[in-house]
Amino acid sequence: GDLATRTDRGASSVDRAAWLGSLAEGAPPALARALELAAAGMLEHAGDSAGAAVLYEALLARDPADALAGAPLDVADLAAGRLDRVAGRREAAVRAAQDASSRFTALEQLAWFEAEDRKNPEAAVASWRAMLALRPGHVPTLRALERHFIATDRHEELVAVESLLATHLAAPEDAAAHLHFAARLLLAPAEAPGTAADALLLDAAPKVRADVWLARRIAAAARAAERLDGAAAMDGVLADASSSPAQRASLRVRAAESEALALGAPRPGTLAALEEAVAAAPAHPVAATELARWKGEAGDAAGEADALERAARTAAVPSRAASLWTRAGILLQDVVGDEERAVAALTEASKADLEVEGLFDRLRELLELREDHGALSALVARRIALGGDPEMLRAMQSQQRVLLEKLGDHAGAKEALRSVLSLAPDDHEALKRLAELCLEEKDHRGAADALIRLARVRKERDELRWVFFTLGDIYDRHIPDPKRAEAAFRRVLRLSPDDAETVERLVGLFEREAQWLPAIEQWTELVRLESDAERVRAHRIALALAHEKSGDPRQAEQVLEAARREAPLDLDTLRALGELHRRQGSNAALGMHLQRAASDFRDALAADLSDAAAWDGLAQVLSWRGKHDAAEVVARTASALGISVTEPPAGPAGPGAGARAADAALEDLLVPASLSPSVRGVMRLAGPSLEKTLPFDVRALQAEKAGGADAALKASALEAARWFGLTDLELWVTSSVPACVPLSSGPPVAVLIGRALGDAEPAERLFVCARALALAKDGLSVVVRTAPEELAGLLAGLVQGFDPRHQPPGIDPAQIQEWARRIWRHLPRATGDELGPLVFEMAGSPGYAPARLGMWSSEYACRVALLASGSVEAALSALLKLSGEAGLSGSTSERLEQLARHPEAKALLMFAFSEDHVEARARAGLAAG
């Protein structure tokens, strides 16, 4: 409280300090120390440093380790000007230091005092030196000495300090700066190089990052001292600092050389740096080459090849470039295994200088294996340009020819061949190939020249044959010269008398020149030479034409007739003979010829219905005769079998003859020869009586009269009835069988038809209805609806009624008598008088076979129905459906098998392409002729 009062009253610092000192007397030690420190502070504040010092000394006397008194004491003594006392204490502290650390601290305080307070730098230098003895790399101490030696121009001592700084500074840039400064001091005009400075630089070099000046000096010093590893390092520094790519590359090369001398091989980092320098300065004359050498020594073949390629790209001398490219290519091929790059390198070498040893052979082999014809051709061209002995050049030109041909350059290939021939005029292979190329290029004059030269040097028969034949072809077709062409072809025949091809060419030549007698001579020779029958016929046709043109048509006809006799169905021969007759105006001969040909084709079809050529031939011959309707019928008949003819193509069937088919004037064409007029006469008269004798039971087949559901069947039946003039028609239908047969000849005319036929094609329904009604019209109903054995008995009874002695074998006489009795019961007497003569004629006619009358009658009715309806395919299909088949189906062979199972259908097929059918259609007005 008293202290606060004194303070508030504004007492002086000295008074307050005195008062505090009085309070300290008798106070406890800790409080006394605090009061004395406060009093000393007040005295310092009041400017009484000496007084404050006395208080601090008193405190230290009691406790020498009191830091709060020691440091202020120095400050107070310094303020009071009592420097000696401070110096004494500092020196004493140095002497009293027990270890290096405390001694270093004491020396540091002493040096600071001497330099800053006492202004005695020399004394400070002594302390600093003592400090460096304890800590050689203490940078602040070195900095202090550096400042002092700079200020006092003490260069020698400054060099040592700078060297230590360069050694101990962490930052390379700082170290380099100090080392640079030290070296410059030593290399001042008063200091000779190569002594202390060089030694200093060499010692410090591994520890610093030198600048350009320093690195250059270190490198020089290292080389002078044969310390090549150090020199290499400085060369690297200089390279990094250089702005010139070429200079940088040179320094990298020198660094690598130095390392190689010092270490046996450059370091990887040095090679990597050199590689970068080479990339930056590709035009450097030796850098890439040296890099390649060291890559090779290191076993890096790929790197060596890459460096060689870089060196080659910038080599100014072609031979050197070629050598470098070649070395690179060999490495790439043999060691690296990169064939693509090897080819590229060797190709560049060949462009620079192909005379490098082994280059051409190696590159050629590579290109041949790769089948790179373009590159190989360019290589061979470069080799040819170098020249050489004739034999070698000839071989080169020959190879060039082959290559150019493969490249499609025929003009170049011809030039290569001409070069070969300029070296070896009698080279027959070159002459032959030149001729062939000229022919391919349509250079016919060039080909002729080469062939004539080839003929002079070759004696081999086959080759001469080719030469003269080709010459003949050229003079015949391309450079028209008939005399030369004939001479060439005749020369071929002297070499090969049986050369049919040459004879044929002579024929063509003579015909174009209208020299018919020589042409006939050669055609005759061709016929003799030819072994192929078809070609022989062709030659005979041409020979006949030559005879005709020479004015001898009779001989022409004889030649063609001979050819026809050998191949009666050959259309070319038949056509040629027909055209000959037409040109000569021999219409009668033409008609006979074509009729005979048609007959031959029909005979061929009778033997083999699957013969497509015979179908085609018959259709064409009919067309030549002007019977186009007949030809179309043949085409449609063939089509029904699945066979196509070329002329005319099978179109849709046209309308049939309809009612005209029932014309009695056509019976001589439609009625089979086996169905004699007497038989037909008997059936017209006796048919109704026979039908009553042997009535048909429709109930057995569950038949019923056609109703509204059978409209399609009724329509077809009524149309067919109209054709035959039948107005009273009774139509029965059944689902039991697929039949269509007349039950009675009427009146009324009754027909039984299977209901399934209602789903057939309209043309098929018309055919079957017309067939049934044709039978009914002629009284043949009973013939086709009665079993053959029963029919034979029935007719035997009819005959016995007129001739009691009639007894055919194989039939029970009692049955015959019974049939006779029954028949006469239904037979009108008036009819009997007219019928008797016909019955005697029928029974006594040759070939009379009652059991077969049904088949013959059906055959006749089918012909009439075909003529009436018009469609062969529909007729055949309908007959097959009546027999339980599904109609025509499958391949030609399958259809023929179907027809073979059903004689009625096959017989109709045979009639369809017959002359009788053709004539019947013509008479019915369906064709012009």
Side-chain angles (χ1 to χ4, degrees):
D2 187 50
L3 176 59
T5 301
R6 289 176 181 271
T7 301
D8 291 339
R9 292 174 179 175
S12 68
S13 297
V14 175
D15 291 339
R16 289 196 300 272
W19 181 75
L20 290 173
S22 64
L23 290 176
E25 293 177 2
L31 179 59
R33 176 175 175 273
L35 292 170
E36 289 174 347
L37 286 172
M42 289 183 177
L43 289 175
E44 282 188 87
H45 181 70
D48 185 4
S49 298
V54 171
L55 290 176
Y56 288 136
E57 285 179 345
L59 287 169
L60 285 173
R62 290 196 297 270
D63 184 6
D66 191 343
L68 293 177
L73 175 61
D74 287 346
V75 174
D77 281 340
L78 289 173
R82 300 192 297 180
L83 300 180
D84 290 338
R85 297 185 67 178
V86 175
R89 284 196 300 275
R90 300 265 173 113
E91 291 171 355
V94 171
R95 290 192 295 273
Q98 300 296 314
D99 52 49
S101 177
S102 57
R103 181 176 175 79
F104 182 86
T105 302
L107 285 170
E108 185 176 26
Q109 292 176 349
L110 177 61
W112 180 263
F113 167 74
E114 296 290 353
E116 298 298 326
D117 298 318
R118 206 170 189 180
K119 307 302 182 185
N120 185 4
E122 290 304 322
V125 167
S127 296
W128 286 331
R129 290 189 187 281
M131 289 169 65
L132 289 176
L134 293 172
R135 296 183 183 177
H138 192 251
V139 174
T141 303
L142 290 171
R143 293 287 191 197
L145 282 172
E146 178 186 42
R147 289 192 296 272
H148 176 70
F149 292 147
I150 290 173
T152 58
D153 290 331
R154 293 165 64 174
H155 291 175
E156 182 176 353
E157 292 172 292
L158 181 58
V159 167
V161 171
E162 295 296 330
S163 298
L164 286 172
L165 277 170
T167 302
H168 294 292
L169 284 174
E173 294 81 1
D174 295 340
H178 287 285
L179 188 58
H180 179 276
F181 182 46
R184 283 195 176 280
L185 290 172
L186 289 173
L187 295 173
E191 179 72 29
T195 56
D198 284 353
L200 173 65
L201 292 171
L202 291 174
D203 287 340
K207 305 174 184 178
V208 301
R209 180 182 298 171
D211 60 10
V212 174
W213 180 90
L214 189 60
R216 188 176 291 113
R217 185 64 204 181
I218 293 174
R223 285 191 174 83
E226 297 186 354
R227 291 170 61 175
L228 298 179
D229 191 18
M234 292 304 103
D235 286 333
V237 172
L238 291 170
D240 290 338
S242 175
S243 60
S244 166
Q247 186 179 27
R248 192 157 54 247
S250 296
L251 288 167
R252 294 296 185 197
V253 170
R254 190 166 68 180
E257 289 175 342
S258 298
E259 284 187 3
L261 290 172
L263 306 175
R267 292 187 179 93
T270 302
L271 286 184
L274 177 56
E275 194 164 354
E276 293 176 3
V278 169
H284 194 280
V286 298
T289 308
E290 288 300 298
L291 177 62
R293 177 167 66 89
W294 290 316
K295 289 279 188 180
E297 291 179 0
D300 182 2
E304 181 181 3
D306 183 65
L308 287 170
E309 288 178 319
R310 295 185 187 185
R313 288 190 188 97
T314 58
V317 180
S319 60
R320 174 168 172 74
S323 176
L324 292 168
W325 280 119
T326 302
R327 287 168 56 194
I330 292 172
L331 274 173
L332 289 167
Q333 181 186 2
D334 294 349
V335 182
V336 178
D338 189 339
E339 188 177 285
E340 192 74 29
R341 285 182 61 195
V343 169
L346 294 173
T347 299
E348 291 298 324
S350 71
K351 293 177 181 178
D353 185 355
L354 194 54
E355 292 187 298
V356 174
E357 184 179 357
L359 169 61
F360 175 75
D361 291 336
R362 178 180 284 266
L363 180 54
R364 177 169 65 173
E365 182 180 351
L366 268 174
L367 294 176
E368 286 174 347
L369 288 173
R370 293 164 63 87
E371 296 185 1
D372 190 343
H373 306 310
L376 187 55
S377 174
L379 174 67
V380 172
R382 289 194 288 273
R383 180 62 191 87
I384 291 171
L386 292 178
D389 66 86
E391 194 59 35
M392 184 276 295
L393 289 176
R394 177 184 175 188
M396 289 291 101
Q397 291 286 9
S398 295
Q399 184 178 14
Q400 183 70 302
R401 184 271 301 174
V402 173
L403 292 170
L404 291 171
E405 280 192 56
K406 290 178 179 178
L407 292 170
D409 184 0
H410 287 184
K414 288 195 294 184
E415 287 304 313
L417 285 168
R418 291 188 177 101
S419 297
V420 171
L421 292 170
S422 68
L423 297 168
D426 294 342
D427 188 329
H428 67 276
E429 291 295 336
L431 284 168
K432 182 177 181 180
R433 190 56 193 148
L434 177 59
E436 291 171 343
L437 283 177
C438 288
L439 289 170
E440 291 173 14
E441 293 291 298
K442 295 183 171 39
D443 177 9
H444 298 108
R445 293 196 182 278
D449 292 341
L451 289 167
I452 291 169
R453 290 174 62 184
L454 182 59
R456 295 192 187 107
V457 300
R458 293 295 285 169
K459 302 301 179 186
E460 199 271 333
R461 178 184 295 271
D462 288 342
E463 190 164 20
L464 281 176
R465 186 268 174 200
W466 175 79
V467 168
F468 286 112
F469 184 88
T470 308
L471 277 171
D473 180 72
I474 289 172
Y475 291 128
D476 183 19
R477 295 181 178 178
H478 307 293
I479 309 176
D481 189 335
K483 291 188 178 299
R484 286 189 175 184
E486 180 183 352
F489 286 136
R490 290 197 181 279
R491 183 70 180 271
V492 173
L493 292 178
R494 285 201 295 273
L495 293 166
S496 181
D498 292 341
D499 193 317
E501 185 181 13
T502 304
V503 174
E504 196 165 350
R505 292 301 298 275
L506 271 174
V507 164
L509 176 64
F510 291 142
E511 288 191 338
R512 284 193 298 276
E513 295 298 310
Q515 299 182 42
W516 300 114
L517 292 180
I520 289 170
E521 177 188 352
Q522 297 304 322
W523 277 124
T524 304
E525 184 66 9
L526 269 179
V527 171
R528 181 187 68 82
L529 293 174
E530 187 59 66
S531 59
D532 180 74
E534 187 174 345
R535 287 181 60 82
V536 167
R537 289 194 293 274
H539 294 335
R540 283 180 169 166
I541 292 170
L543 174 59
L545 185 60
H547 277 298
E548 183 185 5
K549 289 182 177 181
S550 73
D552 191 355
R554 178 62 180 166
Q555 186 61 38
E557 182 179 0
Q558 291 178 359
V559 170
L560 290 174
E561 276 294 343
R564 189 201 64 79
R565 284 193 295 272
E566 289 185 6
L569 302 182
D570 180 64
L571 277 174
D572 291 335
T573 304
L574 295 172
R575 184 185 294 107
L577 185 54
E579 290 173 352
L580 174 63
H581 290 314
R582 187 175 288 110
R583 286 192 299 271
Q584 297 301 316
S586 303
N587 294 330
L590 174 62
M592 291 178 59
H593 162 64
L594 294 178
Q595 185 172 2
R596 177 182 58 193
S599 178
D600 289 339
F601 278 116
R602 288 191 174 100
D603 290 343
L605 289 174
D608 182 5
L609 286 169
S610 66
D611 187 347
W615 284 106
D616 192 60
L618 178 57
Q620 292 204 43
V621 168
L622 291 172
S623 294
W624 298 341
R625 292 179 66 186
K627 295 182 176 296
H628 302 296
D629 175 72
E632 290 175 2
V633 170
V634 168
R636 288 195 293 271
T637 305
S639 177
L641 296 178
I643 297 172
S644 297
V645 300
T646 57
E647 184 62 37
R660 287 167 291 175
D663 189 344
L666 301 179
E667 290 181 354
D668 61 324
L669 299 172
L670 301 177
V671 178
S674 53
L675 193 62
S676 66
S678 59
V679 171
R680 294 182 63 231
V682 168
M683 296 311 300
R684 282 196 189 98
L685 295 172
S689 299
L690 296 177
E691 292 168 5
K692 293 175 182 178
T693 304
L694 190 63
F696 188 86
D697 184 7
V698 294
R699 292 174 299 176
L701 294 178
Q702 300 176 345
E704 59 185 8
K705 287 189 177 182
D710 305 306
L713 291 173
K714 290 171 68 176
S716 297
L718 289 172
E719 175 67 10
R722 185 182 64 80
W723 292 345
F724 293 102
L726 301 174
T727 58
D728 191 1
L729 178 65
E730 187 178 88
L731 184 63
W732 295 81
V733 294
T734 179
S735 300
S736 301
V737 292
C740 186
V741 294
L743 301 180
S744 67
S745 301
V749 174
V751 175
L752 175 68
I753 188 167
R755 183 167 273 127
L757 290 174
D759 296 328
E761 294 294 327
E764 295 176 345
R765 293 197 302 270
L766 274 173
F767 172 81
V768 296
C769 288
R771 169 179 171 273
L773 292 173
L775 290 166
K777 176 178 175 294
D778 280 2
L780 296 171
S781 301
V782 71
V783 173
V784 294
R785 66 174 172 79
T786 304
E789 297 79 6
E790 194 172 19
L791 178 61
L794 180 65
L795 291 178
L798 176 63
V799 176
Q800 195 178 70
F802 291 95
D803 181 7
R805 294 173 299 174
H806 180 70
Q807 184 62 55
I811 304 176
D812 185 359
Q815 288 182 350
I816 295 176
Q817 290 176 3
E818 177 60 23
W819 280 119
R821 184 185 62 78
R822 292 171 59 185
I823 291 171
W824 278 97
R825 190 168 59 228
H826 297 289
L827 188 68
R829 183 175 300 274
T831 302
D833 294 340
E834 184 183 357
L835 184 62
L838 291 174
V839 169
F840 278 103
E841 184 180 351
M842 175 186 74
S845 63
Y848 172 63
R852 302 185 65 186
L853 283 178
M855 182 183 67
W856 294 336
S857 298
S858 292
E859 185 178 335
Y860 158 66
C862 285
R863 293 180 179 185
V864 175
L866 173 61
L867 181 62
S869 60
S871 173
V872 176
E873 184 170 4
L876 295 175
S877 179
L879 287 175
L880 291 174
K881 289 179 179 179
L882 290 178
S883 300
E885 304 247 6
L888 289 167
S889 62
S891 64
T892 297
S893 60
E894 290 172 330
R895 293 186 180 190
L896 289 174
E897 287 177 3
Q898 283 182 301
L899 297 175
R901 291 194 296 269
H902 305 288
E904 183 181 6
K906 184 173 182 180
L908 180 60
L909 173 67
M910 301 299 291
F911 172 76
F913 61 85
S914 69
E915 184 69 27
D916 286 342
H917 188 207
V918 170
E919 181 63 22
R921 286 179 63 85
R923 291 188 194 176
L926 295 177

